[in-house]
Amino acid sequence: MAIPRFAVVALLVVTCACSVVASAHLAGQWRYSTLQSNAPKGVVATEFMPLWGSVVHPAIANVAAGRLTPAAQKAVARYLGASHTMASVATIPDTYGHTAQGAWSSPLHYVNIKAGSVSYAPSDCPISGCVVSAIYNYTTLQDKQGTVGPVCQFGSGAEPCPLIFLIHFVGDIHQPLHAGWAEDRGGNTVQVNFFGKNTNLHSLWDSALPQRWASNTAMMSADIQNWINQNPSQVSRYLAAMDPAAWANESFQIVRTSVYDFNSDSKLKHD
């Protein structure tokens, strides 16, 4: 099932392409890295900033914003207002999800895959929702609102508008462990040591790997844009993919083939 197409929804395609580039870079960084799975149980690092939120989400949104059609740019500007950009609102759903009024939205940031699976299946998404259904639902809602829906509201406790949720969730679905194994909560219970620092596998992909790739949004945005410029045929393939279920499965295949490819003393090499 492909999501509807509309001027505002067009941003999903370019955001998806930018997200895939980000996750591909991280997969490459992962294969270069030395990782030890011998950290004491229960140890969670505090040294790493939550960079998928503070750097990766804004970088993806920043590059995507520069690739919108004029009609999409106009629609996005109307919804966000003069004081906000796609990059500046990209992390709002995370903040909202950690509030009492926004706790309901937390499960919409990921999908847990059943043990033994070889691909994402619709049954992996519960009735209460997951990142796949959230993208479908908010895209449909945004499509119905068109260019005349309620503008996005900001401020303490304000629920993100559909556009802001979409900007964020399309980034989330391309963090591989947001489509990871249910049994270890997307790598959250897997303790690892990365370049001498203890963390868990999910936080590693959220934070430590992006931190080794690029330490700020500007650097990451430039790197993503440079890759896009150099790989037009690959970008065309990404731009043709409009199914969030396929995006979840793509992330899950990285989980199956790369994310857990380590042991206590191995040095991973680039393929």
Side-chain angles (χ1 to χ4, degrees):
M1 175 181 177
I3 56 180
R5 294 173 183 268
F6 164 68
V8 174
V9 176
L11 76 91
L12 290 178
V13 191
V14 291
T15 307
C16 172
C18 298
S19 298
V20 173
V21 173
S23 55
H25 270 285
L26 295 184
Q29 184 71 257
W30 174 248
R31 294 190 181 95
Y32 276 122
S33 305
T34 301
L35 180 112
Q36 295 178 315
S37 180
N38 58 2
K41 291 185 179 298
V43 174
V44 178
T46 58
E47 298 95 330
F48 299 128
M49 296 171 58
L51 288 187
W52 194 270
S54 65
V55 172
V56 185
H57 273 300
I60 291 169
N62 188 41
V63 176
R67 297 177 62 81
L68 294 178
T69 65
Q73 290 175 352
K74 183 177 179 180
V76 168
R78 176 191 175 276
Y79 277 103
L80 297 184
S83 300
H84 302 279
T85 65
M86 286 174 58
S88 70
V89 304
T91 62
I92 287 178
D94 275 337
T95 302
Y96 177 73
H98 287 90
T99 65
Q101 57 268 56
W104 63 270
S105 66
S106 292
L108 303 183
H109 293 251
Y110 59 87
V111 58
N112 286 328
I113 312 295
K114 300 178 185 66
S117 299
V118 296
S119 63
Y120 165 80
S123 59
D124 292 315
C125 191
I127 294 176
S128 57
C130 70
V131 67
V132 176
S133 64
I135 293 173
Y136 282 134
N137 292 340
Y138 281 111
T139 300
T140 299
L141 180 57
Q142 184 66 73
D143 192 51
K144 288 180 179 178
Q145 292 181 349
T147 58
V148 295
V151 297
C152 303
Q153 300 298 309
F154 300 93
S156 179
E159 179 177 329
C161 63
L163 176 61
I164 292 176
F165 269 132
L166 285 170
I167 292 168
H168 184 88
F169 289 150
V170 174
D172 272 349
I173 203 170
H174 288 93
Q175 202 277 50
L177 285 167
H178 280 245
W181 298 112
E183 59 187 353
D184 65 13
R185 296 174 52 238
N188 274 289
T189 65
V190 179
Q191 299 300 313
V192 297
N193 184 282
F194 184 72
F195 286 92
K197 295 182 178 181
N198 295 322
T199 187
N200 65 66
L201 193 60
H202 190 102
S203 293
L204 176 70
W205 279 77
D206 262 352
S207 309
L209 282 175
Q211 188 172 349
R212 290 193 67 82
W213 166 21
S215 60
N216 59 64
T217 297
M219 290 175 59
M220 189 169 294
S221 297
D223 200 14
I224 293 173
Q225 186 60 59
N226 184 55
W227 188 95
I228 288 172
N229 294 341
Q230 294 178 4
N231 296 273
S233 61
Q234 189 80 342
V235 171
S236 295
R237 183 173 71 84
Y238 293 151
L239 294 177
M242 287 289 287
D243 186 355
W247 301 344
N249 188 57
E250 184 175 42
S251 288
F252 179 57
Q253 297 312 313
I254 295 176
V255 170
R256 291 184 62 233
T257 60
S258 298
V259 172
Y260 292 82
D261 185 18
F262 64 88
N263 58 47
S264 63
D265 59 1
S266 67
K267 185 171 184 177
L268 306 180
K269 299 180 182 293
H270 191 265
D271 293 343

